[in-house]
Amino acid sequence: DSIKKGKESLEHKGSLGNMGAACIASAGYGMTQGSGVSITTYPIVPDYHKYPKSQGRKLGKTFGEIGLAGHWLKLALHYAFIYKAKMKPFWWLIPE
């Protein structure tokens, strides 16, 4: 809207500071030899006033795990992304 109308427009007023993030990384090769890490953080932007004792994060929603499950999850997401990118049948059913 800002580009089309030539003036600043604020259609979305939600705070991005209330969003969480997830990251999955894998290392290794094979279904039994790989390893991966899964990390979530909430909120993305630390809120030191709301969570003063935990570096600005909500500890119930912020964690990291290392193991084979992270490797499997990353592998599944990889194949789903490639399937969707190739626009194969029913590709639109795979969530973003």
Side-chain angles (χ1 to χ4, degrees):
D1 286 341
S2 297
I3 293 171
K4 288 179 182 177
K5 295 178 183 175
K7 60 181 181 178
E8 191 170 324
S9 130
L10 298 174
E11 293 294 323
H12 305 286
K13 296 181 182 176
S15 170
L16 296 178
N18 293 326
M19 292 179 62
C23 179
I24 304 166
S26 65
Y29 180 75
M31 294 300 286
T32 59
Q33 300 297 318
S35 180
V37 62
S38 305
I39 301 167
T40 64
T41 183
Y42 177 84
I44 295 172
V45 178
D47 188 345
Y48 297 104
H49 297 291
K50 192 171 183 179
Y51 309 108
K53 297 180 182 178
S54 59
Q55 301 298 315
R57 309 278 189 208
K58 184 171 183 176
L59 295 182
K61 295 185 178 183
T62 299
F63 60 89
E65 294 288 332
I66 298 173
L68 186 58
H71 177 64
W72 289 345
L73 184 58
K74 180 68 174 186
L75 188 64
L77 289 173
H78 169 76
Y79 281 110
F81 173 77
I82 296 298
Y83 187 89
K84 189 170 186 166
K86 289 181 177 181
M87 297 176 67
K88 291 194 174 188
F90 302 106
W91 65 269
W92 61 87
L93 296 175
I94 299 173
E96 297 277 329

